[in-house]
Amino acid sequence: MTPSSSGLAPSLDDMAALAQAAFARLPEAFRQMTGHVLFRVDDFPDEETLAALEIEDPFDLTGLYHGVDLAHRSVLDPETHPSMVFLYRRPILDEWAARGDVTLEELVSHVLIHEIGHHFGLSDDQIDAIEAAAD
């Protein structure tokens, strides 16, 4: 029984499984270009992240890319921490419930792809333009 069919909100593990499934559905070439990125699901961003981004309401951030994007990396740079994509469960669930026009799977996929776009060095406007052209 899935959390939605049982009336329970998806757990962190459930949300991670949705993200893994969304990533697996992406074209193989896209997944290969992504390289080594760690995916993590937390309930909310931590206070340090919110402060750094000047975000007061933790429900305003559904996902975050953390790392040096591919456009700014060099083989001459020292080894950095691994790139990470964070998905924030509670804000995603809140947006999903408020919207009512997408499935949870679609929203998780959207947030995941958006954050991977930042890994590729794309801005929010560039990602939005790509999504608009795909619709």
Side-chain angles (χ1 to χ4, degrees):
M1 183 175 353
T2 65
S4 59
S5 66
S6 68
L8 300 174
S11 68
L12 293 170
D13 289 339
D14 295 332
M15 193 73 74
L18 290 174
Q20 289 172 346
F23 187 73
R25 286 190 302 272
L26 296 173
E28 176 65 27
F30 186 85
R31 291 193 319 261
Q32 286 183 356
M33 287 189 320
T34 301
H36 183 68
V37 176
L38 301 176
F39 299 102
R40 179 174 166 164
V41 179
D42 289 331
D43 271 326
F44 287 105
D46 60 32
E47 290 298 323
E48 182 180 311
T49 298
L50 293 171
L53 297 172
E54 298 180 357
I55 296 174
E56 291 183 25
D57 185 350
F59 281 96
D60 287 343
L61 188 62
T62 56
L64 179 71
Y65 171 73
H66 186 270
V68 178
D69 65 64
L70 295 179
H72 292 97
R73 287 188 190 177
S74 166
V75 294
L76 301 176
D77 289 339
E79 182 85 18
T80 61
H81 296 294
S83 295
M84 295 185 73
V85 168
F86 291 87
L87 299 179
Y88 298 115
R89 185 182 78 93
R90 297 282 308 278
I92 289 172
L93 291 175
D94 192 62
E95 180 178 333
W96 172 61
R99 287 182 56 174
D101 64 345
V102 296
T103 67
L104 184 56
E105 291 81 2
E106 290 169 333
L107 186 55
V108 168
S109 181
H110 165 78
V111 174
L112 180 75
I113 290 169
H114 186 92
E115 299 312 326
I116 291 172
H118 289 306
H119 172 64
F120 289 146
L122 301 174
S123 69
D124 284 337
D125 289 341
Q126 290 171 314
I127 295 166
D128 291 343
I130 291 167
E131 287 183 321
D135 287 344

